[in-house]
Amino acid sequence: MTNKIDTILFDLDGTLINTIDLIVASFEHTLEEYFPGKYERNDIPSFIGPPLSETFERMNPDHVDEMIDVYRKFNHANHDSLVTEYEGVKETLDKLQEQGYAMAVVTTKKRDTALKGLQLMGMEEYFPVVVSLDEVTRYKPDPEPLMLALEQLNKSPEQAVMVGDSEHDILAGKNTGTLSAGVSWSIKGKEFLETFDPDVMLEKMTDLLDYMESLEKQSV
C-alpha cells in the first residue's frame, strides 16, 4: 500500500451519536400528521439516510417544505432528551486524536442540528471540519460532500476511510475512492449493510482502532 491512511470521515446520526429514537419519533410525529394510520414504526428505517427533502418528496411532493418544518420543530424540541451516546465512541475518538488522525463529520443534516448533536455529546473538539447539507449541492452517495471534507483537511481519497451506518455512506466512500467501514449497530441491520460490501464491518466503535492499526501495518 503506497498511501498512508491517516484520515477518517464519519457520518453523524446512527454512527457517532445515537439519534435513532429521536429520528424515529420525529418521523412518527410527522407521518401521523400527514398520513394518519398509514405507516408503522418498522416502515421508518427505509426513510433514513437521504435528506428529508428527498424522502418527503417521494411521499407528498405538494407538502415537502411543510413536512420538513413539522419534522424539524419536533426534532429540535426533543433533541436533548432523546439523543444518547454509543459506548466506546468518545474513547475511540480520544485515541484517534492522540494518534494524529485527521477527522471530519460528513452528514446529510443541516449544520445547526449537526452541531447541536456534537455539542450535546461533547465531540466538537475532534472535528475541525463538519460538512453538512448546507455546504453542498449534492449529497451522499455522491462524492461531493466527502471531497469537500477532504479538501478542507488537505487530504486525498486514497488517505481516507468513510465510516457510516447507511448504504449511502458505504457507496459515498466507494464513489469517492476512500475505504469504507460499516457499523453493525445500524438501524438498517448489519446484514443489509454488508450487501454493499464495505471494506470492514465494525461490531463496536473501538474496532476502528484495530482496523486503523492493521492499515498502518500494511502501509509500512
Side-chain angles (χ1 to χ4, degrees), residues 29-65:
H29 172 78
T30 308
L31 297 177
E32 191 55 33
E33 183 163 327
Y34 285 87
F35 309 98
K38 181 174 180 181
Y39 293 102
E40 296 180 1
R41 188 180 180 88
N42 59 8
D43 295 319
I44 290 173
S46 66
F47 305 144
I48 296 174
L52 292 173
S53 57
E54 182 180 306
T55 299
F56 291 148
E57 175 78 29
R58 288 200 304 266
M59 293 178 164
N60 189 340
D62 296 328
H63 296 280
V64 174
D65 291 342

Side-chain angles (χ1 to χ4, degrees), residues 137-151:
T137 55
R138 296 181 301 279
Y139 40 82
K140 298 179 290 186
D142 191 275
E144 182 187 347
L146 280 69
M147 288 303 299
L148 180 57
L150 291 168
E151 276 173 34

Side-chain angles (χ1 to χ4, degrees), residues 201-216:
M201 181 65 71
L202 309 176
E203 294 297 328
K204 53 191 184 303
M205 189 58 88
T206 50
D207 290 347
L208 184 59
L209 298 169
D210 297 330
Y211 180 60
M212 299 312 293
E213 186 179 338
S214 73
L215 293 175
E216 177 84 23

